[in-house]
Amino acid sequence: MLIIKDLHASIDDKKILNGINLSIKPGELHAIMGRNGSGKSTLANIIAGREDYEIESGSILFNGKDLLDQSPEDRALDGIFMSFQYPVVIPGVNNTYFLKAALNSKLKHQGLKEINAVDFMSLIREKLKQVDMNEKYLSRAVNDGFSGGEKKRNEILQMLTLEPTLSILDETDSGLDIDALKIVAKGVNNFRSKERSFLAITHYQRLLDYMKPDFIHVLIDGEIVKSGNSELAKELEEKGYSWLEK
Amino acid sequence: MTHYQEQLTSLLENSIEENEDIRSLRLNAFDSFKKIGFPTQKDEDWRFTNFSKIQNGYFRLSRPSDLPNNFKSPNLLNDQSYPIVIINGHYQPQLSKIPNGLSIFSGSNDFKSNPHSYAIDSNKPCSSKMKNPFYLLNTSLMNSGLSFEISENIKIEKPIEIFFYTSEIDEPIMNHPRFHFRLRKNSKATIIEHYRGQTKQSYFINTVSNFELEENAHLSHFRFQDESFHSNHTSFSGYTLNKYSNLNCNCLSIGSDLYRHNIKVDFKGPNGFARVNGLSLIDNNRHHDLNVIVNHLDNSCTSSQLFKFILSDSSTGVFNGKVIVDKDTFQTNANQTNRNLLLSPSSNMNSNPQLEIHAEDVKCSHGSTTGQIDPEALFYLRSRGISKQRAIELIVEGFAKEIFTNIKNDNFQSKINHKIGQWLESVSNHDKS
C-alpha cells in the first residue's frame, strides 16, 4: 500500500530525514517511536503533503502511484488521512459544514452522489457515538473552543467519516487523559480492517497498550534504527532510546 | 470649493420658501466648511485618504427630473420589512410602508420641532461636527432624507428598511441625505439603512444619520453600503445613548470607489450598552476608511467593537478607532478589536486602535491584527480532501461571517451571507482572469 524508499528531507537547510525505508501493507498497523525532534512528525507531514519540506531524494509510492507529486487534497481523496498533532482552529467555519464539504468532496471524487443534509446528520450522529462526542461540537467552528481531548476526538471523528485507507495518527495520544485515550483507541480499533492501514506516531508506549501494532520502528536522527514487533515497545519502555544511539 | 459654493447658491435660489433659520444654518455651515476645507494629509483623522475625486468632481445636486420613469424597488428584505424608498434622493411614499408607532417627518418640519438636532456648535471649533468637513457640507447642502420617531413603549417587530437607491442617472449627481432617528422611552426597533447604486455614472453621496436613544430604548441598526463602484460615499453615523439604552449596530460595506464612514457613539446616561461591528469587503483599487469614536461620558456603560476588513487586489483600507473614557466616570467596560485579512500582496491596510482613558475604574482592551490566510488552516482543510480554492473560500467566508452572528433574524442573516458569498465569488474570479 505505502512504500517509502530512501527518503531524505530537510527544512530550512536543516536535514531531518536521513534515508527512511518503510513498507506498509493493507491491514497493518505500524508504530513509529522516537524522541522529540527525531523526525517522526516530519515523516507524517510529508506523507500528508505539507509543503514546507524540501524532499532531497527518495520516493513514496501509495498504491503504486508517486505520492510526492500530488497536492494534499489529491492525497486525501486517494485515501490518506492524517490526524493532526495540533488540530487547527478555523474561526467561523462550522464543523458540520466542514465535515460535509470534506465528505462530499470525497464522494464526488469516487463518482458517487453527494450526501444530503438529512442522511449526513444520521451518519454523523452514529460516528459521534463511536468517539463519545457531544452533538454540540458540530455546531461550533472547527476546533474552536475545543479542549485538547476534544480536538483529538474531532480528528478521529473525521477519520471515521472520511474512511481513509491509510490513517496517520500523529501523536494522537499527546494531551489525552487515560479515559480519552481509551475512547480514541477504541475508535481506531473498531475502524481497523483487512483493507485499512495505520501509521501511529508516538513517543510513549502507552498508546500501544490500547492499539496493538504489527510493527514498531524506532526513529533516531531521521533514520529507522530498529524495527520489531510489540516486544520492542516493552524493551524501549525499560531501556529508553539511548542503547540504540550510535 | 467654488463648485460646492455654486451648488449652495442654486439650492438657496430654488427653495426661497424655505425657513429662514434653515437658510442661515446652511450658510453658517458652509462658512465653517470653507474655513477647514476638504481634508488633507495633514489632518490626523483623515490623512490616509485622498478626497480629491470629491473635491475636484463636478457633482450637481439631484433634481426631481433625475427620477427614473419606471422603478421597481430591489430592496433587501422584500415583504419582510417596512420599506422606506428614496430614489436618486427623492422620497417615494407610494413605494413605502409605515408601521404603527412610527412617524415620519420631512427635514423642514423636523427642523422646526428639533432645531437643536441640527446645530453645528459653530462657537465650539473643536467639536467633532466642526472638525468634520463632510458633516458641515451635509448641513449646508442637505437636500434629501427624513426624520423618524418611534413612540414611547412601541416595539416594531419587522425591520424598517430605508432604501436609498441611485440609478439611471445621466450626469454626475450628488445627494446630502440627512436622517434623524428618535427612539422614545422603552421603544424597540430594527432599522436598516441600505445604500445601493446601479449606474455606470459617477456620483457622490454624503450622509448624516443621527440616532437618539432615550431611556431603555433598544435599537438594532444595520448599515449596508452597497453603492456602485463608480460612487464616492462619505457618511456620519452618530448615536446618543441615554440611560439603559441598548445599541446593536452592524455595518457591511461592499461598494463605492471611495468610502469614508465616521461612527460616533456617545453614552450620555449610565448603564448603556453598545455593540458596533463592521465588515468592509474591498477589491480592485478601491479605498475604505473607517473612523470610530466611542465616548464613555457616563458610568457603568459597556461598549464592544469588532471591525474587519478583507482586502483583495490593490485595495486599501483604513481603520481608526478610539475609545474615550471621560474623567470622573466609573465602571466602564470597553473593548475594541480590528482584524484584517489581506488576500493579495498588493493590498494595504492601516490600522490605528486607540484608548484614551481619563478615569481609573475601567476595564478596557483593544487589539488589531492584519495578516494573510493562515497556511496551517489551509493545509488542514486541504488534507481533508477540500480543494485549495474551496478551502480559501471557506476560510475567508468564515472570517467574514463570524461578524454578523449577533443578528438574530435568520432571513436577514442569510441575505447578508448571500451578499458576502457573492463578493467572495467575484473576487476569486479576479484571480482566475
Side-chain angles (χ1 to χ4, degrees):
Chain A
M1 172 173 277
L2 185 80
I3 300 166
I4 302 177
K5 273 191 192 151
D6 196 29
L7 185 68
H8 291 257
S10 59
I11 187 165
D12 301 333
D13 291 333
K14 194 175 163 248
K15 192 95 190 269
I16 304 198
L17 299 183
N18 283 302
I20 299 279
N21 289 290
L22 180 67
S23 171
I24 301 177
K25 294 192 177 69
E28 291 176 352
L29 193 157
H30 289 239
I32 290 192
M33 298 186 72
R35 288 190 176 127
N36 281 338
S38 59
K40 307 185 301 290
S41 284
T42 297
L43 178 62
N45 279 292
I46 286 176
I47 300 171
R50 192 186 283 272
E51 284 156 352
D52 308 344
Y53 304 96
E54 170 80 20
I55 309 295
E56 293 173 348
S57 62
S59 67
I60 306 180
L61 293 180
F62 181 63
N63 293 329
K65 261 164 80 180
D66 185 356
L67 202 63
L68 294 172
D69 291 345
Q70 292 186 44
S71 67
E73 54 268 38
D74 286 343
R75 298 179 198 205
L77 295 173
D78 279 345
I80 290 178
F81 177 90
M82 176 169 79
S83 165
F84 279 55
Q85 183 179 1
Y86 303 108
V88 185
V89 177
I90 309 179
V93 177
N94 175 278
N95 208 18
T96 311
Y97 190 74
F98 154 65
L99 271 168
K100 192 163 161 254
L103 179 59
N104 276 332
S105 181
K106 182 139 195 176
L107 291 171
K108 206 173 138 195
H109 176 74
Q110 292 167 341
L112 299 169
K113 234 180 85 186
E114 293 195 354
I115 192 165
N116 66 42
V118 178
D119 292 346
F120 179 75
M121 281 318 289
S122 64
L123 174 86
I124 208 76
R125 284 201 181 99
E126 183 236 328
K127 307 285 184 197
L128 277 170
K129 267 188 223 147
Q130 295 183 36
V131 287
D132 199 21
M133 240 172 109
N134 191 308
E135 209 171 298
K136 73 178 180 201
Y137 293 110
L138 291 178
S139 55
R140 293 205 195 153
V142 179
N143 296 318
D144 195 8
F146 287 36
S147 72
E150 286 153 2
K151 282 182 184 166
K152 294 297 171 79
R153 279 189 228 186
N154 199 28
E155 295 292 292
I156 301 303
L157 174 72
Q158 292 168 38
M159 181 186 81
L160 298 177
T161 309
L162 299 174
E163 302 192 324
T165 47
L166 173 67
S167 304
I168 304 157
L169 308 172
D170 187 9
E171 309 241 1
T172 298
D173 52 336
S174 69
L176 291 187
D177 61 35
I178 199 75
D179 292 327
L181 181 64
K182 281 182 185 169
I183 292 162
V184 164
K186 199 182 88 195
V188 172
N189 286 331
N190 290 340
F191 188 61
R192 288 188 70 173
S193 77
K194 278 189 297 201
E195 295 80 32
R196 295 190 184 121
S197 314
F198 296 84
L199 181 63
I201 283 165
T202 180
H203 52 262
Y204 298 113
Q205 134 92 25
R206 197 175 72 147
L207 176 75
L208 307 176
D209 291 340
Y210 299 97
M211 288 178 204
K212 292 282 167 258
D214 300 299
F215 299 95
I216 290 173
H217 311 277
V218 180
L219 196 64
I220 293 177
D221 293 336
E223 249 183 293
I224 292 177
V225 294
K226 196 165 177 61
S227 298
N229 58 19
S230 50
E231 291 303 309
L232 179 58
K234 291 198 182 93
E235 211 175 338
L236 289 168
E237 183 82 348
E238 283 165 26
K239 301 196 214 161
Y241 291 108
S242 49
W243 61 287
L244 292 166
E245 280 168 353
K246 284 171 213 163
Chain B
M1 192 69 79
T2 342
H3 169 71
Y4 288 94
Q5 177 103 53
E6 283 162 14
Q7 289 296 306
L8 175 62
T9 310
S10 105
L11 173 77
L12 292 170
E13 277 167 8
N14 291 321
S15 54
I16 26 177
E17 76 287 359
E18 200 173 50
N19 177 316
E20 270 310 312
D21 293 336
I22 301 186
R23 295 169 77 84
S24 60
L25 172 71
R26 289 184 187 282
L27 290 164
N28 282 340
F30 200 83
D31 271 350
S32 302
F33 167 68
K34 263 201 312 206
K35 270 178 208 142
I36 55 171
F38 281 101
T40 68
Q41 284 168 341
K42 285 180 192 150
D43 298 307
E44 183 62 28
D45 274 353
W46 304 84
R47 68 191 179 102
F48 290 108
T49 302
N50 181 339
F51 292 95
S52 58
K53 276 184 210 149
I54 297 173
Q55 187 170 356
N56 304 327
Y58 281 91
F59 301 102
R60 64 153 174 84
L61 285 164
S62 172
R63 301 172 187 141
S65 58
D66 291 320
L67 207 56
N69 293 329
N70 291 308
F71 176 76
K72 204 175 164 294
S73 134
N75 60 341
L76 194 64
L77 288 178
N78 301 323
D79 303 340
Q80 312 291 320
S81 69
Y82 297 107
I84 308 289
V85 180
I86 300 170
I87 302 166
N88 292 347
H90 310 286
Y91 174 46
Q92 304 298 305
Q94 79 285 1
L95 297 172
S96 305
K97 280 184 206 149
I98 299 160
N100 287 337
L102 176 73
S103 315
I104 299 195
F105 307 95
S106 69
S108 51
N109 282 335
D110 187 56
F111 180 83
K112 274 179 221 152
S113 355
N114 301 288
H116 58 275
S117 303
Y118 294 81
I120 49 167
D121 315 323
S122 46
N123 51 343
K124 285 190 269 175
C126 57
S127 81
S128 63
K129 287 171 190 170
M130 286 301 287
K131 284 201 295 192
N132 183 340
F134 293 102
Y135 195 104
L136 295 169
L137 192 62
N138 174 284
T139 307
S140 65
L141 293 174
M142 51 188 176
N143 65 330
S144 176
L146 294 162
S147 292
F148 300 83
E149 183 173 316
I150 297 162
S151 313
E152 221 174 278
N153 299 320
I154 288 288
K155 289 183 174 55
I156 298 174
E157 294 298 332
K158 279 203 275 184
I160 300 158
E161 182 182 350
I162 294 142
F163 182 59
F164 197 102
Y165 189 49
T166 306
S167 171
E168 293 181 44
I169 47 173
D170 308 325
E171 289 180 302
I173 63 160
M174 65 175 168
N175 274 302
H176 298 264
R178 181 62 167 250
F179 294 105
H180 288 268
F181 302 88
R182 298 188 183 84
L183 281 85
R184 298 299 183 206
K185 233 166 112 175
N186 302 322
S187 65
K188 189 175 178 181
T190 297
I191 294 169
I192 301 171
E193 249 183 293
H194 181 183
Y195 295 90
R196 187 179 160 120
Q198 275 179 315
T199 173
K200 290 217 164 81
Q201 184 60 261
S202 154
Y203 63 96
F204 171 35
I205 306 279
N206 176 35
T207 76
V208 169
S209 297
N210 281 316
F211 298 83
E212 193 187 337
L213 282 71
E214 287 189 355
E215 182 181 343
N216 197 37
H218 282 61
L219 169 66
S220 179
H221 178 218
F222 186 78
R223 191 180 202 279
F224 183 25
Q225 187 273 97
D226 191 22
E227 297 282 14
S228 119
F229 295 138
H230 305 281
S231 75
N232 304 284
H233 187 117
T234 52
S235 48
F236 175 89
S237 302
Y239 306 87
T240 304
L241 275 74
N242 291 294
K243 63 180 173 181
Y244 292 103
S245 61
N246 185 305
L247 167 69
N248 197 27
C249 167
N250 290 286
C251 304
L252 172 62
S253 312
I254 299 180
S256 279
D257 191 35
L258 169 61
Y259 177 51
R260 161 76 179 209
H261 188 196
N262 279 60
I263 297 174
K264 188 158 180 281
V265 178
D266 290 312
F267 287 103
K268 294 240 169 103
N271 299 95
F273 172 87
R275 181 197 348 250
V276 191
N277 287 357
L279 173 66
S280 261
L281 306 175
I282 332 174
D283 57 5
N284 286 309
N285 43 17
R286 292 190 246 287
H287 179 84
H288 283 196
D289 177 350
L290 211 61
N291 185 295
V292 187
I293 294 175
V294 174
N295 216 344
H296 282 264
L297 300 165
D298 211 325
N299 305 322
S300 309
C301 294
T302 300
S303 70
S304 151
Q305 296 173 50
L306 174 62
F307 286 92
K308 289 187 179 183
F309 284 66
I310 303 178
L311 300 103
S312 176
D313 311 320
S314 309
S315 61
T316 45
V318 182
F319 175 79
N320 251 300
K322 195 189 266 184
V323 175
I324 306 169
V325 182
D326 208 37
K327 64 175 173 11
D328 304 327
T329 59
F330 52 83
Q331 288 185 338
T332 288
N333 200 332
N335 71 67
Q336 179 196 63
T337 309
N338 171 226
R339 291 193 199 295
N340 311 307
L341 184 60
L342 303 175
L343 298 182
S344 138
S346 41
S347 56
N348 190 330
M349 182 71 205
N350 274 297
S351 174
N352 186 19
Q354 303 162 67
L355 294 176
E356 201 182 295
I357 300 172
H358 305 285
E360 283 185 0
D361 180 12
V362 295
K363 217 166 108 186
C364 288
S365 63
H366 69 163
S368 165
T369 57
T370 298
Q372 290 160 357
I373 286 181
D374 176 12
E376 289 295 311
L378 189 59
F379 175 61
Y380 189 77
L381 294 178
R382 293 177 74 191
S383 80
R384 298 316 187 228
I386 296 169
S387 72
K388 186 177 178 184
Q389 184 58 41
R390 184 76 193 113
I392 291 173
E393 281 167 21
L394 279 175
I395 294 167
V396 179
E397 215 172 275
F399 178 84
K401 288 179 181 174
E402 197 188 29
I403 206 154
F404 299 125
T405 47
N406 68 78
I407 293 175
K408 298 294 173 233
N409 182 328
D410 287 348
N411 171 47
F412 185 22
Q413 198 177 61
S414 77
K415 288 267 174 17
I416 296 165
N417 285 342
H418 181 68
K419 286 282 178 187
I420 295 172
Q422 275 182 333
W423 183 82
L424 292 175
E425 207 175 303
S426 75
V427 163
S428 65
N429 288 336
H430 293 184
D431 302 340
K432 281 176 206 149
S433 58

